[in-house]
Amino acid sequence: MNKKIIYPTDDGVAVIIPTPDYLLTHTIEECAAKDVPEGKPFQIVDASEIPSDRTFRNAWEYQE
């Protein structure tokens, strides 16, 4: 699985990358429930949707 979890923060967008070991015994949805702050919206996206160039990372915007 090549999925990541994203959610908005006060500074931009946070990216959670679940470890392969965690995903052996849990779903990515369980990872999001555990790690995304309560009340924050989140999305599970393909890794290819995350820009690889971190130069303007603080300019990323979360869109529902």
Side-chain angles (χ1 to χ4, degrees):
M1 175 184 288
N2 202 12
K3 300 281 187 180
K4 296 183 181 183
I5 303 163
I6 61 171
Y7 66 91
T9 68
D10 293 339
D11 298 322
V13 179
V15 179
I16 297 173
I17 305 168
T19 65
D21 287 345
Y22 184 86
L23 292 175
L24 288 175
T25 56
H26 300 83
T27 66
I28 194 163
E29 291 82 7
E30 290 172 321
C31 180
K34 178 178 77 70
D35 293 334
V36 174
E38 188 174 333
K40 289 281 188 182
F42 68 89
Q43 295 178 20
I44 297 169
V45 299
D46 286 321
S48 63
E49 294 182 50
I50 307 291
S52 60
D53 182 358
R54 297 175 58 104
T55 305
F56 297 107
R57 183 168 185 178
N58 288 339
W60 297 353
E61 294 183 8
Y62 179 90
Q63 296 181 5
E64 292 186 47

